[in-house]
Amino acid sequence: SSPKTFAVFERSFEALWANGKGRERKEELQKCLLQLPDTTSALTGFVGQAMTEDMLSGLVLATESAMLPHGAAAGAALLCRLSKVKRFEMLWMFVGNKEKIAVERVLVQAFSISAGDSELLAAAKAYGVKLPA
């Protein structure tokens, strides 16, 4: 069943991800990430003001680990939704290079499947990632 609050999701995600130590638990990570609401408005409401830079970092890195190579479209869709959470721009300024590389890998792979997707283009811009021309 899906978590009732972002705090509940956060606890189960952090226990599984374990600051990257859980990156090989791909199936469990994928299940966990797919528990997040699947529309932008539902996700932004679910998260509210609670997103932190550490959580955003973990979600982005876990999305790359869990969703590539076969779930690139689902991973990119999640990244698109995450780029709309409250305070995203401010939080994203504080993440490092490995997160940007992770986003780029997911978005580029999804873009190779559905080039011209306007949501992917908008997300790439929000994350500061270049998609192939």
Side-chain angles (χ1 to χ4, degrees):
S1 71
S2 291
K4 297 277 182 270
T5 66
F6 187 64
V8 170
F9 171 83
E10 199 171 8
R11 279 195 297 278
S12 63
F13 172 77
E14 284 173 347
L16 179 59
W17 178 242
N19 287 324
K21 292 185 197 84
R23 76 169 34 88
E24 295 308 317
R25 297 165 73 181
K26 291 179 188 299
E27 266 183 46
E28 289 167 86
L29 276 175
Q30 200 169 34
K31 276 195 189 106
C32 180
L33 292 168
L34 293 174
Q35 287 182 336
L36 286 168
D38 62 0
T39 67
T40 299
S41 59
L43 181 69
T44 54
F46 182 70
V47 172
Q49 302 280 351
M51 186 65 74
T52 62
E53 57 199 79
D54 286 346
M55 188 64 180
L56 182 60
S57 164
L59 288 171
V60 162
L61 295 171
T63 297
E64 178 198 24
S65 287
M67 302 299 198
L68 290 184
H70 304 300
L78 175 57
L79 293 177
C80 287
R81 295 192 299 278
L82 283 173
S83 73
K84 303 284 194 235
V85 299
K86 288 181 178 72
R87 302 186 358 263
F88 169 80
E89 292 83 1
M90 192 188 78
L91 295 168
W92 190 245
M93 285 192 313
F94 294 103
V95 301
N97 212 33
K98 65 179 193 273
E99 289 84 354
K100 290 192 172 80
I101 291 166
V103 166
E104 186 169 11
R105 288 188 61 208
V106 175
L107 292 183
V108 165
Q109 189 157 345
F111 199 68
S112 72
I113 301 162
S114 57
D117 182 312
S118 61
E119 279 195 23
L120 285 179
L121 292 167
K125 191 173 176 186
Y127 285 104
V129 163
K130 292 236 183 305
L131 292 174

